Amino acid sequence: MTDHVKQQHGKPDTFHIIVNARAHEVSGNRISYRDLVNLAFPGDPGEILYSIHYVAPKLPDGTLAEGQSVDLENGMKFDVTPTNRS
C-alpha cells in the first residue's frame, strides 16, 4: 500500500474511479452527484440537470439524482450525461 492510500477500518480513503471514460483518484468513502458532475464537466454552473449511472465490482448497478451520494469502490464506472428539462 502506498503512503497516500491510508486505511481506516480496512477501507482505503483514496479510490480509483472512471468518470465518462476518464480515470480519477478521489478521497473519501462516498461521492456525491455534484462531485461527479464537477469531475465530468469542470466549471459547470449548476444550471444543467445530469443523468448519472454507475456500475461497481461488488455493488448493484445504480443511478444518482441531485442531492444523492453513493459509497465508493475501486474500479467504479460513472456515466454523467446532460438531460433535457421537461
Side-chain angles (χ1 to χ4, degrees):
M1 178 166 52
T2 61
D3 290 337
H4 73 281
V5 177
K6 298 180 180 133
Q7 289 193 342
Q8 181 177 27
H9 300 102
K11 290 185 99 177
D13 67 358
T14 302
F15 293 88
H16 300 278
I17 63 171
I18 306 294
V19 180
N20 290 358
R22 289 186 307 237
H24 294 275
E25 188 174 279
V26 295
S27 299
N29 295 342
R30 293 181 67 79
I31 193 159
S32 71
Y33 169 95
R34 185 53 47 196
D35 291 335
L36 287 162
V37 168
N38 289 335
L39 288 173
F41 300 98
D44 173 74
E47 298 170 2
I48 298 171
L49 292 178
Y50 294 89
S51 172
I52 300 178
H53 298 275
Y54 63 86
V55 295
K58 297 177 187 168
L59 294 174
D61 297 356
T63 60
L64 282 180
E66 192 164 7
Q68 293 181 324
S69 61
V70 65
D71 288 333
L72 285 170
E73 284 186 16
N74 275 317
M76 286 182 86
K77 295 179 183 176
F78 297 88
D79 289 318
V80 183
T81 54
T83 61
N84 292 328
R85 294 182 192 216
S86 33

